[in-house]
Amino acid sequence: MPISHRLLAVSVAVMWGLNFIAIDASLGQFPPFLLVALRFAIIAVPTLLLVPRPQVPVRWLLGYGIGFGTLQFLFLYWGMAVGMPTGLASLVLQSSAPFTVLLGAVAFRDRVSARQLVGLGVATLGLAVVGWSQAQAAAFAPFLLVLAGGFGWAIGNVSNARARATNPLHLTLWMSVVPPVPMFALSLVVEGPDAIAAAFVPGPHMVPALVGLAYTVLIGTLVGSGIWTWLMARHPAGVVAPFSMLVPVVGLSASAVLLGEHIEVATALGAALVIGGVLWGSLRKAGARTSPAPAGTEETVAPPHSTREPVGS
């Protein structure tokens, strides 16, 4: 993975880390299921009217939309709405990285290099350290909800990688067509018409909520997810996904500065392990192939005479 692509992956981590602050502001006005529906409906309507559907298998488009768009944000917003601290949510959601590697290996027989495994293990250890230091800040139920969101993201990751979209931006836009209808229906049934109507009544939280929603749509979804999709189309999911572990570093830092959430020494140590693990896992072994691998393949540390075969469907 060339350095320019690594920098792009890091920039997405910064965008998504700050996105948790925007989500927190929006949840001050909108109930969680309605907020997910609004987030994607704003993109879905012009997409249906103006953007050609990407020529990818429908199952991978639906998998991306259901996993990344629907399940991830349903459980993330729900967890944050019932008490998950913003910084801790940004951490737990990054369980998507090990979930992605696990799904790829189990469901599609993807191969993972020894370097990637070591880097992922170190980064996961860092997440565990941060999670342990922050555990007292959240109840177990919100933790499980956000963990389920991480698994949804992983489903989206493996579907995204196997879609092999020739135009990743179109795939990102059309992914947004999937969540609005089921999420509006869920909001109507669970949150109710009164809560939906109350969300649009002007109040003190309306301005920051709308600013947060605009950031989520424009930066978090269009720009961030567009770059992420572009990277996923050019590199194995197991190579790109670990960069998402940088998101909690940004999320925890921004939450401390902007929301006053305290960062313990153990949290800072865990964040350092996350960064080190991601960087180590993304480096190539000396003499390894430098050209991008096809989407849906994994590279293994192999002797010079061996071959590398694409895996997955």
Side-chain angles (χ1 to χ4, degrees), residues 10-12 29 35 37 46 52 57 69-70 90 93 109 115 117 127 130 133 149 168 186 223-224 232 238 280 296 302:
V10 170
S11 74
V12 174
Q29 181 73 17
L35 184 57
T70 306
S90 72
L93 190 65
R109 299 190 303 276
R115 180 183 290 272
L117 285 175
L127 288 174
V130 178
S133 70
L186 189 61
V223 178
M232 279 287 191
W280 173 261

Side-chain angles (χ1 to χ4, degrees), residues 41-227:
I42 292 171
I43 303 170
V45 172
T47 295
L48 285 169
L49 295 174
L50 302 173
V51 180
R53 188 178 77 81
Q55 298 304 305
V56 301
V58 173
R59 66 183 183 277
W60 300 129
L61 175 59
L62 290 176
Y64 187 25
I66 291 171
F68 184 90
T70 306
L71 296 178
Q72 177 186 188
F73 294 106
L74 184 162
F75 289 114
L76 171 64
Y77 285 22
W78 187 3
M80 292 179 67
V82 297
M84 191 69 159
T86 303
L88 186 56
S90 72
L91 163 71
V92 176
L93 190 65
Q94 306 323 308
S95 57
S96 63
F99 278 144
T100 297
V101 175
L102 179 64
L103 276 178
V106 172
F108 301 101
R109 299 190 303 276
D110 288 352
R111 293 174 293 177
V112 186
S113 74
R115 180 183 290 272
Q116 290 169 2
L117 285 175
V118 171
L120 189 60
V122 172
T124 302
L125 175 62
L127 288 174
V129 171
V130 178
W132 174 80
S133 70
Q134 298 285 316
Q136 69 277 10
F140 191 56
F143 172 84
L144 290 179
L145 288 172
V146 179
L147 193 67
F151 187 74
W153 188 354
I155 294 172
N157 275 340
V158 295
S159 299
N160 184 345
R162 282 160 179 81
R164 295 182 172 88
T166 56
N167 191 323
L169 179 58
H170 285 188
L171 178 61
T172 299
L173 293 173
W174 271 85
M175 173 274 296
S176 300
V177 173
V178 178
V181 171
M183 291 309 305
F184 270 125
L186 189 61
S187 177
L188 187 63
V189 172
V190 176
E191 295 164 343
D194 292 341
I196 293 174
F200 294 98
V201 175
H205 292 96
M206 181 59 81
V207 173
L210 292 178
V211 171
L213 181 58
Y215 180 95
T216 296
V217 170
L218 296 175
I219 306 300
T221 302
L222 291 179
V223 178
S225 297
I227 295 174

